[in-house]
Amino acid sequence: MTPVAARGAIGIRNVSKIYDPDGANVLAVDDCSVEIAPGEFCVIVGPSGCGKTTLLNAIAGFHDITSGEISLDGKPICTPGFSAEPGADRIVVFQNGALFPWSTVLNNVAYGPVVQGTASNTEAKTEAQALLAELGLSGIGDHYPNELSSGMRRRVEIARALINDPKVLLLDEPFRAMDALTKGVAQEFLLQAYDRVRKTVFFITHDLEEAIFLGDRVLVMTTRPGRIKRTLHVDFGRPRNYKIRSSKQYLTLKSQIFEAVREEAVRAFEAGERELA
Amino acid sequence: MASMPARRALLEVKDLAKGFGFGPLRQQVLENCSFGLQSERLTVLIGPSGCGKSTLVNILAGYEAPDAGEVRLLGTPVAGPSAERLVVFQETALFPWMTTFQNVIYGPLVQRDMRRDEIEANAIVLLEHVGLKDFKDKYPSQLSGGMQRRAELARAIINNPKLMILDEPFRGLDAMTRELMQEYFLKLYEGRKQSVFFVTSEIEEAIFLADQLLIMSNRPGQIIKTIDVDLPRPRTASLLTSTEYLRYKDESLEVLHGEAVKAFAEGSKAAADFLEAYADQNR
Amino acid sequence: MTVIETPSQSRTAKAAEINSLALTLFRVRQWLTQSSPYLGFLGVASLFLAWYLVTEFFTVPRFNKLPGPVAVWREFTSPSPTFGISIYTPEYYMHIFWSIWRVLQAFFWATVLGVPLGLLMGWKRAFRDYTFPVLEIVRPIPVLAWVPVAILIFAGIASREAPVIFLAFLATFFATVLNTMLGVESIDEVYFRAARCLGSKPHHIFFRVVLPGALPFIFTGLQIGVGVGWFSLVAAEMISGEYGLGFLIWDSYVLSQFPVIIIAMLTLGVVGYGFSAIIRIIGASLMRWADRSGV
Amino acid sequence: MAKNSTTLSLRRGLVSVLGLLAFWEIGRRLHFPFLSAVPAPTEVFASLDQIVGNSKFWNDWIASFSRVLSGFALAQLIGIPVGLLMAMSRTLRYLWFPPLEILRPIPPLAWVPTSIIFWPTTELSIIFVIFLGAFFTVVLTVLGGARAIDERLIRAARSFGSKPRDIFWRIVLPATLPSIITGMAVGMGVTWEVVVAAEMIAGKSGLGYFTWASYVGGNYPQIIVGMASIGIAGYLSSGAIRVLGKQATPWQRQI
């Protein structure tokens, strides 16, 4: 059985965040509370503007919160006025990818250990080579990111995060820009990497199908201000593959919160239209 | 496959072949690709990324000529672009310097076969119909993704094309906006006698919209399976959780997943960039 | 446990090799078969023909005072040129050397001072607040309006070189600083965040994100800088130089040695073009990653 | 948060500018190396009322502006159509591009002697050199802009049944407008560089001549006034073009 992670518990208690873009203060997240167990694959699904990225950025340490507290393994990492420096214990995989375009795949993956000083340049490179091979990505070490397809780039980025053995993996809609078929195969890659060494995963998405296929627990967020509206426990067991997408259980799960998600989507769609116009 | 009532064939495509490059770098994108489109039906084409879907769209629209094979619209061979076969592209192709209203009236205006006030009246009605009436003087950059798509649909529909071709029009929209846009598009389609050729790579979207589903193989692309989707119309979101829908999804998933893995594995950009390089030559 | 095996890994690498060699071969073949080279040649030929007809053949009024291509060519290639400047005379190469040497010095100082300043201005808000307003006030002043002040500033120093190099430096410096700053600002915020996530210290971020990320813009800045530097050098040499192509042009005008003016002008064009081409090549080789993605 | 950060940077900017002026003043007074011969801000300020008073100074402004505008306008009138033609027809592009590429690297000021020999009056010769400076910039920017139009927009227009004249007037021209304006703004910058030098070398009037004459005449504070005037004139003309540009391309303004 794959080792169960003993670390990476995220405590989100009564978290609220108010943005103040030139005076019109916007309540992005309103009193959210959730306890994420170590090694749990937690998915947040909601329309754009429901505060899911705000939560992720707060955990990652890119900004503070207005009230409440976020802790990692009991230690506070984000409170009003304080946010711990971003670090290799909680690594973000960004929506449109953030592989350094100017360095090769190998140097990208080896970047973390090298700058943290946990390994010399050559040691880090060999370690990176081994991880890439294990994830089925050997042979592209000296390519530049722009020479790879979006599917491959995303896998390298996940490898770049995993090599640092983070407590928490934060994924911000990593498969959004992909066409559905590449997305399906990339999701399977993430699941298999997750099964390899269990980590706490905080995954945010617009796509309900993706949330159920990947997550142990799915939290549905309301349109702005973001509140946790519904929670759905998904127990398909692991490892999973694309077959479950057409299983009966998958469909019942989907229909349970389909309505809840759609309501928020329609409200956001109308709000979006007004807000932008 | 149940025999469909004999409908007039709107468009026939016979043994299309298209390749790029030269010598060792010859990339065959389409190979003996044949299919037919019936009029006033929504035919959806689905296939993995890089299987030649967009090239096929360009040939049907008349932007590119095939190396072999032919395309006939109502019996007459197709040559060059025309308002009979209009394309709605993947990313928006609204003219950024024209307001929504100017975009919509552009087609009839340049065809010069209708008086201006008549054209403007039609445009107002259509904009009302797609819910963009009070955005008519806005520029495309001031519209949301969903609104841009609706404006583009209006810009095509006003010309009453014999065939409307949509090349993954909802790609790039987030999953939720996409579902709502699909319902919106169906409302528009089911309200008019319009033949549509809809290209996508989303299985759920394909089955939800299609009367007939064509599945394309990996490169070089050809039609490897045809499924007649006779789900009731008008189609609503609740359909997404019905068993027949699930059956169709299973059937196409089986074929597509194999193709997707091949496309994914071959995922290196080197070949794609070569095609791009070739395209620059003849611009 | 292998994740979805991708047999094609080696194939992708191989494909990349075939691709670049065959691609260039294909492009050359394509270029030859098309009409572009012949038309281009026709364009250049008609330029020189028009010049010849107007000055020497039909001696149209006004134009006849200008030297024709044949006269210029004869002067340029004669072992004992009437005005002492031809490919055989060392003096010709001495002028070229002086001009290049001055631009190189200006280019060196503009890079050494301009690039770090631009990087810091783009990266640190405080640094930018203190330096950018000053630059913005000085920048609109045309470089050549500085000629008198440059002479005053360097009045103390004997050699007349300093003001000329200072002017070429000024032009290159502004272009380099501004483009470098633009380059840093064009780096997507996500790369800074990714680097911080992976545990980078500030100096890591400077050398592994700010510098490489801004590189394409730095080279654009250097290329524009050289162009503008060359432009100002010629004027500076005309006004207060002793050697160099700019001086040669003005001196030949004063001594009405007209063919030499044309020789110096065309030399300036060729050498200037060579300079920016060299920088373009260095830039392209340094930034293989940016060639297709057009960062 | 946003509001006070702009005032903060404004304050910092002011501090650095005033600091520089103070350094310049002290440098002159205490004869720092390099600064001893350069007139201090106070001296420049003192000489201001004397200069601003006499009309000759303002005539120089007019002279420079008229040369810049005529050379610049000529460059746009010829340069923009040439750029668009080269974009629309491939044969013209292949024919004209190489000769342009040969002439472009020659710095405009290298043309001054030839221009003086050729043109009857120095006025015309300066305007010709200004024309050259702006012409190459405009042609290349317009050509670049016109060729970078998104292929799909042309294809969409063709699908709607546009005639070639529709493609040009309703698609190519508006799409290229932003780069025409950029070409003009950059071209204007080049023309001021050229006019100053041309006036210094061969001019009898204008701000460039005024600045050089002040140096030759030993009236050093006036040099700085000349430099500042040229800077302001250049800034105003480029600014005017950008403002006009914003009006002409309303779709580019983000809400």
Side-chain angles (χ1 to χ4, degrees), chain B:
Chain B
M1 198 169 63
S3 71
M4 293 304 297
R7 287 208 180 185
R8 208 159 40 80
L10 172 76
L11 187 95
E12 285 125 5
V13 174
K14 266 218 279 28
D15 315 329
L16 266 190
K18 178 74 178 176
F20 293 105
F22 185 78
L25 277 143
R26 183 81 185 149
Q27 280 284 352
Q28 201 56 21
V29 178
L30 292 174
E31 191 68 64
N32 47 57
C33 173
S34 312
F35 59 91
L37 300 181
Q38 282 108 25
S39 57
E40 290 158 33
R41 273 166 65 88
L42 209 166
T43 310
V44 175
L45 175 80
I46 185 163
S49 65
C51 73
K53 299 198 293 283
S54 292
T55 313
L56 179 60
V57 164
N58 287 338
I59 293 173
L60 294 186
Y63 300 139
E64 278 171 34
D67 298 342
E70 65 170 9
V71 178
R72 285 174 177 282
L73 182 70
L74 293 170
T76 51
V78 149
S82 104
E84 286 179 341
R85 292 160 279 117
L86 284 180
V87 180
V88 174
F89 293 98
Q90 227 171 78
E91 285 99 25
T92 173
L94 292 171
F95 303 127
W97 52 84
M98 292 185 198
T99 63
T100 313
F101 184 68
Q102 288 162 339
N103 262 288
V104 173
I105 62 171
Y106 181 87
L109 213 62
V110 288
Q111 281 150 38
R112 296 175 176 79
D113 51 17
M114 222 197 292
R115 279 203 336 279
R116 178 154 186 134
D117 46 20
E118 228 179 296
I119 297 172
E120 289 184 350
N122 288 352
I124 298 288
V125 165
L126 204 52
L127 280 172
E128 175 80 40
H129 194 42
V130 291
L132 288 175
K133 200 159 84 56
D134 36 24
F135 301 122
K136 86 178 177 65
D137 298 324
K138 290 260 189 261
Y139 287 101
S141 58
Q142 297 167 307
L143 302 179
S144 75
M147 289 195 279
Q148 282 176 2
R149 301 282 78 188
R150 282 183 274 160
E152 209 151 351
L153 287 173
R155 183 174 76 167
I157 289 171
I158 195 168
N159 302 283
N160 298 317
K162 289 198 172 62
L163 174 66
M164 197 139 94
I165 307 169
L166 297 114
D167 184 3
E168 298 195 62
F170 308 141
R171 182 166 184 183
L173 297 177
D174 66 70
M176 291 183 180
T177 322
R178 185 187 204 116
E179 271 163 29
L180 294 166
M181 277 308 295
Q182 286 160 5
E183 281 167 41
Y184 207 92
F185 173 71
L186 277 178
K187 213 154 69 240
L188 260 173
Y189 165 75
E190 280 152 0
R192 311 167 56 88
K193 298 235 164 312
Q194 177 66 62
S195 317
V196 171
F197 182 68
F198 191 103
V199 173
T200 181
S201 53
E202 298 269 343
I203 308 172
E204 287 83 9
E205 179 172 82
I207 299 169
F208 182 58
L209 299 175
D211 291 324
Q212 186 187 40
L213 183 63
L214 307 174
I215 301 182
M216 207 165 181
S217 69
N218 192 14
R219 205 189 347 241
Q222 59 186 277
I223 307 299
I224 48 175
K225 190 170 177 66
T226 311
I227 303 174
D228 283 306
V229 177
D230 39 32
L231 293 168
R233 282 205 187 271
R235 306 239 167 116
T236 56
S238 55
L239 197 74
L240 290 171
T241 45
S242 73
T243 42
E244 306 89 352
Y245 176 85
L246 187 66
R247 191 170 52 75
Y248 284 123
K249 190 169 157 186
D250 242 1
E251 195 180 344
S252 38
L253 198 58
E254 206 51 48
V255 175
L256 272 168
H257 197 265
E259 299 297 322
V261 171
K262 259 187 270 168
F264 188 72
E266 205 199 83
S268 116
K269 241 167 82 74
D273 288 322
F274 169 76
L275 295 182
E276 214 177 282
Y278 174 81
D280 289 349
Q281 284 307 326
N282 45 35
R283 233 219 333 233

Side-chain angles (χ1 to χ4, degrees), chain C residues 38-49:
Chain C
Y38 310 106
L39 273 172
F41 182 74
L42 185 66
V44 174
S46 47
L47 177 73
F48 281 97
L49 184 66

